[in-house]
Amino acid sequence: MKKPELLVTPANVTEVEGLVDAGATAVMVGEEEYGIRLAGEFNRDDIENALKIAHQKGAKVYVAMNALFHNESLPKLPDYIQFLSKIGVDAIVFGDPAVLMSVREHAPELKLHWNTETTATNWYSANYWGRKGSTRAVLARELNMDSIVEIKEKAEVDIEVQVHGMSCMFQSKRLLLGNYMTFQGKDLQISGRGKNQNLILHDPERKAKYPIWEDKNGTHIMSPKDMCMIDELEELFEVGVDSFKIEGIQKDYSYMRQVTSLYREAIDLYFLHPDKYNGQKENLFTELKRIQPSNRVLDTGFFFKETVY
Amino acid sequence: MMQASTQVSTDVKRVITKKPELLAPAGSLEKLKIAVHYGADAVFIGGRDFGLRSNADNFSSEEMAEGVQFAKKYGAHIYVTTNIFAHNENMDGLEEYLIDLERVGIHGIIVADPLIIETCKKVAPTLEVHLSTQQSLSNWQAVKFWKQEGLDRVVLAREVGLQEMLEMKKNVDIEIETFIHGAMCVSYSGRCVLSNHMTARDSNRGGCCQSCRWDYFLYAEKHDKGQEPLETKLFNEDDAPFAMSPKDLNLIEAIPKLVDAGINSLKIEGRMKSIHYVATVVSVYRKVIDAYCADPDHFVIDPEWIKELAKCANRPTAPAFFENTPGHVEQMFGNHSQKPNANFVGLVIDFDEDTSVVTLQQRNYFKQGDVIEFFGPEINNFTQKIDTIWDEKGNEIKVARHPLQIVKFKLDNKVYPQNMMRKEAYHE
């Protein structure tokens, strides 16, 4: 049995070293032009630097190319893909088949991870994209534990599961915030707002608050709670999920470092002996709650929730 | 490539012979028959499983078979939506379901999940496979990918504009279907799980509760180290709340461009809509497509067509992404719906040419003295005032107030079974 990878999303180059030191074994980075909903912006130099730092420490670097592309973006894909291949990134993360087509043609040796956020919902599709060239499927956040376990059992590709942080609920190409401000005749800086200046939607009926922002890829709305699975990892360990992801969107560096080291501890304890993890998991959860921002309640996402349709 | 081909006759009048398919929604067998009778070249329906409208009256196998037989008389095709993103537990029964669709004579399926695409190719290979808009297909490379995967047709993302469609047509030889009318997702389809989070209903398996049509309140949240986040309202008390709701799509004016671009299928949305909606929208687009193709060089939009569409619209409409990224005028803030300016009040069962008496099934309240309008594929719209009304037994009545009640009265013009009667709606 091998330890799952611990994948985190740094916000800038300087965070890479600290997060790897805290126990991350892989990082996902990228730029808004190609990737969606990133914790921070990494231009080509940043990616190269992140790669040097991570590789020196034995960690992997994946680059997000998971945007939905329109025709106008297609001409710039080959050059970016060739650059990523040349510097030796460990994989690129894609959702749009255009990226797959471009990789086949321009850098067939590049590894691909399939991640559409919402549509990786069964083992057949995971394997389908495997046959098309991807080596990993990033599962939809809306799956329950039973589905995840069954997918992993039947998957011929690696399986990545998000275990911590917020997840995306909605993406529109429309500029919904900008439109609302124009409609009101107000002038408000919508895009490129600082990390401490988030916009949120209040939903009084469900007493929930949803982070929302707008960028080159449109309008994004995020989950009202942060999922936290630190004390519920047994089944994921047992079935051998290949990668645990901690999402770093709208989180500061010190929080990310602490969360990373807590999950590191959880993984290491389990692989020392499952009983050690079982004995410690409540404490790990208590530790995590202590550093959790008050406006982001923790829950277990869809792992133990039934959805109907 | 399937471009709109043109024929030049001796008097140099240009005619377009290769018309795009007009594709209509049909939430029930009755709606299917109406859509086809009113001029749809094809309809899409949902079966008992694997589709995205779990609230619609979906078709049983027997109803599908009846629909196929009916459509055959008109040369129309039926497609079945099987466009969920399946979870493991949804795989059971898929093969039998697809085999049954093929057996009853369904022409094709509309599908998003590779599981269903490949299963269909294996067990029901004569069904056409169309890629659903749930895949949010937005570029020609992705179109090419699906072409190579053996799909017969792709339905584009709602975010694709005319220029992009032209580039797709130029680069890939595959049938393209695009939406021309109706309500639509404001998100990239398939990339929204608001419903899952807010109501535990899976939007990508037919449970969407349309949370995007609700009101929200926008705040800025400032975080300073060690302090509780500080929230600031970004609206005043009397401002409309934040909403994502878009106006419904309406591309009536763009039909000539879509025909010229060689788009193969023009799709109307709305399996949950009434027969009156389906009949009205289908007949208007039928007229637009036919008029343009018959004489593209002298084509103008008849203002009556636009008025006609408004008679069944319950929301304002706009062209969405067809030319540009939509701005605030294409969104709806505050008011999320409007009432249509006409009500559907009766469906023609029969017309007696000797006595000029129509036999109608009542679909909404009307009374003696009301001014009503008839429309249908065989007639030009006409209005008249209702004189004496009789019930089924020949008794005179003043008011037709019972749903599905059979009534008769005299008309000045000839009408045909399935023609519809509507009445102007008065709103306070």
Side-chain angles (χ1 to χ4, degrees):
Chain A
M1 220 171 159
K2 91 180 187 315
K3 286 185 185 179
E5 168 185 277
L6 185 57
L7 170 64
V8 303
T9 59
N12 55 54
V13 179
T14 53
E15 291 184 9
V16 174
E17 184 165 15
L19 291 176
V20 173
D21 285 344
T25 55
V27 295
M28 188 181 80
V29 298
E31 60 179 300
E32 207 175 289
E33 197 77 26
Y34 307 96
I36 30 175
R37 295 179 290 277
L38 302 163
E41 187 76 355
F42 284 67
N43 64 25
R44 291 186 183 202
D45 287 346
D46 294 336
I47 293 175
E48 269 195 277
N49 289 331
L51 195 73
K52 272 186 211 132
I53 297 165
H55 279 184
Q56 253 169 25
K57 293 179 171 285
K60 294 193 163 148
V61 175
Y62 308 136
V63 176
M65 292 188 72
N66 57 344
L68 279 163
F69 296 98
H70 284 253
N71 291 345
E72 57 176 10
S73 301
L74 296 179
K76 64 191 182 190
L77 297 185
D79 186 58
Y80 191 63
I81 284 167
Q82 282 165 341
F83 161 75
L84 296 176
S85 168
K86 192 186 81 201
I87 64 167
V89 303
D90 296 286
I92 58 174
V93 181
F94 83 103
D96 193 318
V99 175
L100 182 82
M101 299 287 274
S102 197
V103 166
R104 280 178 184 173
E105 192 178 342
H106 299 285
E109 68 291 345
L110 250 184
K111 275 195 176 176
L112 289 162
H113 292 175
W114 176 54
N115 180 11
T116 56
E117 303 290 329
T118 52
T119 70
T121 52
N122 64 65
W123 57 266
Y124 190 99
S125 296
N127 291 343
Y128 170 88
W129 289 105
R131 291 195 294 279
K132 300 304 152 197
S134 105
T135 57
R136 174 183 292 190
V138 181
L139 300 190
R141 279 62 168 173
E142 294 72 35
L143 295 177
N144 63 26
M145 186 66 92
D146 291 347
S147 302
I148 293 170
V149 167
E150 192 186 349
I151 291 175
K152 175 55 200 168
E153 283 168 350
K154 293 183 173 153
E156 294 148 8
V157 291
D158 284 354
I159 295 297
E160 177 185 315
V161 171
Q162 183 179 340
V163 293
H164 194 89
M166 62 172 68
S167 66
C168 175
M169 304 198 294
F170 171 96
Q171 183 193 352
S172 174
K173 191 170 195 268
R174 293 176 191 241
L175 306 174
L176 297 174
L177 289 168
N179 286 345
Y180 182 53
M181 288 301 146
T182 318
F183 166 74
Q184 289 190 326
K186 281 186 186 147
D187 188 21
L188 176 83
Q189 192 196 345
I190 291 300
S191 51
R193 294 171 66 86
K195 239 188 174 179
N196 61 343
Q197 294 276 342
N198 300 327
L199 296 177
I200 44 172
L201 291 181
H202 280 209
D203 176 352
E205 198 134 325
R206 272 151 292 278
K207 299 189 174 50
K209 297 175 183 181
Y210 315 115
I212 179 169
W213 75 87
E214 194 174 293
D215 61 22
K216 278 184 188 142
N217 293 302
T219 309
H220 311 266
I221 303 177
M222 306 300 284
S223 61
K225 295 176 183 168
D226 283 347
M227 73 171 91
C228 172
M229 291 293 288
I230 196 153
D231 54 338
E232 298 281 1
L233 296 170
E234 283 103 333
E235 284 175 273
L236 301 175
F237 284 133
E238 276 165 24
V239 74
V241 166
D242 302 276
S243 179
F244 290 175
K245 184 185 187 184
I246 299 171
E247 181 54 77
I249 294 171
Q250 295 194 357
K251 293 294 185 297
D252 63 34
Y253 176 50
S254 82
Y255 173 87
M256 280 302 284
R257 227 178 31 199
Q258 293 178 76
V259 171
T260 304
S261 66
L262 288 171
Y263 277 90
R264 177 77 271 148
E265 203 181 333
I267 297 170
D268 292 345
L269 282 169
Y270 183 86
F271 281 83
L272 218 51
H273 196 285
D275 288 346
K276 295 211 183 289
Y277 167 71
N278 276 324
Q280 273 299 313
K281 63 184 188 184
E282 289 307 321
N283 293 339
L284 293 172
F285 182 57
T286 310
E287 271 297 286
L288 211 151
K289 270 197 298 198
R290 206 175 49 78
I291 56 168
Q292 184 65 15
S294 61
N295 61 332
R296 296 292 301 173
V297 174
L298 294 170
D299 74 353
T300 53
F302 287 89
F303 283 90
F304 307 110
K305 201 192 265 181
E306 279 315 307
T307 34
V308 296
Y309 50 93
Chain B
M1 205 176 270
M2 306 251 299
Q3 292 293 348
S5 53
T6 56
Q7 251 180 13
V8 181
S9 65
T10 44
D11 60 352
V12 210
K13 185 189 164 192
R14 194 162 68 93
V15 174
I16 295 169
T17 53
K18 181 102 200 119
K19 291 184 193 175
E21 168 185 277
L22 178 60
L23 174 57
S28 68
L29 194 53
E30 183 188 31
K31 291 174 196 173
L32 178 152
K33 291 178 177 175
I34 290 290
V36 170
H37 183 68
Y38 275 72
D41 302 305
V43 296
F44 62 101
I45 65 174
R48 290 278 186 245
D49 249 320
F50 309 107
L52 277 186
R53 293 286 178 280
S54 48
N55 289 330
D57 323 326
N58 290 316
F59 283 66
S60 67
S61 179
E62 294 70 34
E63 288 169 323
M64 283 188 194
E66 190 182 337
V68 168
Q69 291 315 312
F70 181 86
K72 206 181 253 176
K73 288 186 283 187
Y74 292 79
H77 289 158
I78 299 181
Y79 308 126
V80 173
T81 56
T82 52
N83 54 345
I84 59 164
F85 283 106
H87 288 210
N88 302 334
E89 75 228 35
N90 303 118
M91 294 184 183
D92 288 347
L94 177 61
E95 294 193 0
E96 295 75 9
Y97 183 77
L98 294 170
I99 290 167
D100 195 54
L101 296 185
E102 191 179 44
R103 183 186 61 79
V104 301
I106 295 300
H107 196 72
I109 58 170
I110 304 170
V111 44
D113 193 319
L115 159 72
I116 303 180
I117 296 173
E118 295 207 325
T119 306
C120 183
K121 295 216 165 274
K122 195 175 76 188
V123 304
T126 66
L127 288 177
E128 278 191 12
V129 183
H130 299 178
L131 190 75
S132 164
T133 193
Q134 283 286 101
Q135 278 283 359
S136 277
L137 201 50
S138 354
N139 66 73
W140 67 261
Q141 282 272 24
V143 174
K144 195 170 157 192
F145 172 84
W146 292 110
K147 158 91 181 170
Q148 289 176 357
E149 290 301 295
L151 275 87
D152 300 287
R153 178 188 288 188
V154 293
V155 186
L156 301 181
R158 302 156 206 271
E159 290 76 11
V160 173
L162 175 64
Q163 198 48 45
E164 294 172 316
M165 289 180 205
L166 289 166
E167 290 158 12
M168 288 172 177
K169 267 289 176 197
K170 198 180 91 196
N171 284 293
V172 193
D173 180 13
I174 191 168
E175 287 192 12
I176 287 186
E177 174 178 314
T178 197
F179 289 93
I180 53 167
H181 199 88
M184 60 189 156
C185 290
V186 64
S187 69
Y188 277 108
S189 295
R191 302 298 179 96
C192 170
V193 287
L194 288 177
S195 204
N196 303 52
H197 282 265
M198 296 182 181
T199 62
R201 293 174 60 87
D202 191 349
S203 52
N204 288 328
R205 286 190 289 171
C208 174
C209 66
Q210 310 207 344
S211 326
C212 63
R213 310 286 145 127
W214 302 344
D215 283 338
Y216 301 91
F217 299 89
L218 183 65
Y219 287 74
E221 196 187 49
K222 194 165 183 295
H223 298 261
D224 286 318
K225 265 243 163 320
Q227 313 230 331
E228 285 291 301
L230 188 71
E231 291 183 353
T232 328
K233 264 186 193 176
L234 294 178
F235 57 95
N236 299 321
E237 285 310 325
D238 49 351
D239 284 343
F242 176 85
M244 302 171 223
S245 219
K247 290 184 181 172
D248 286 352
L249 181 66
N250 177 340
L251 287 184
I252 185 169
E253 317 235 9
I255 295 300
K257 287 178 180 168
L258 287 163
V259 173
D260 290 349
I263 301 305
N264 306 81
S265 179
L266 305 178
K267 183 176 205 164
I268 297 162
E269 184 71 290
R271 280 194 284 139
M272 312 282 277
K273 301 281 192 183
S274 66
I275 58 168
H276 175 240
Y277 179 90
V278 171
T280 305
V281 178
V282 166
S283 59
V284 169
Y285 280 100
R286 179 77 276 152
K287 284 175 190 156
V288 179
I289 295 167
D290 290 350
Y292 180 68
C293 291
D295 190 0
D297 296 323
H298 300 97
F299 175 82
V300 282
I301 291 276
D302 183 340
E304 285 302 317
W305 297 334
I306 291 170
K307 275 192 219 159
E308 188 77 4
L309 282 179
K311 290 173 187 168
C312 67
N314 59 354
R315 288 154 57 88
T317 61
F321 283 88
F322 193 70
E323 303 278 4
N324 286 303
T325 301
H328 75 97
V329 292
E330 308 234 338
Q331 296 296 132
M332 294 171 64
F333 298 105
N335 249 336
H336 293 224
S337 64
Q338 66 184 32
K339 296 229 169 68
N341 59 21
N343 287 332
F344 169 45
V345 293
L347 183 67
V348 175
I349 306 286
D350 189 34
F351 181 75
D352 185 331
E353 291 200 48
D354 297 332
T355 58
S356 280
V357 168
V358 65
T359 307
L360 272 171
Q361 185 184 59
Q362 193 264 30
R363 290 301 184 105
N364 210 329
Y365 177 94
F366 65 90
K367 62 182 190 308
Q368 200 179 335
D370 279 349
V371 175
I372 41 80
E373 178 184 46
F374 279 87
F375 76 103
E378 304 87 352
I379 61 170
N380 292 319
N381 290 23
F382 67 89
T383 52
Q384 94 167 63
K385 197 168 170 178
I386 300 177
D387 200 354
T388 316
I389 307 174
W390 299 281
D391 69 10
E392 217 169 352
K393 295 180 184 131
N395 303 315
E396 197 178 319
I397 52 174
K398 290 265 183 294
V399 175
R401 60 162 58 89
H402 305 296
L404 306 183
Q405 170 181 23
I406 303 296
V407 297
K408 297 168 190 258
F409 53 86
K410 274 197 172 178
L411 285 182
D412 302 337
N413 296 50
K414 187 174 175 182
V415 292
Y416 297 80
Q418 311 290 339
N419 286 177
M420 292 187 190
M421 181 174 99
R422 54 162 90 103
K423 190 176 93 173
E424 203 174 330
Y426 298 99
H427 304 302
E428 297 300 306

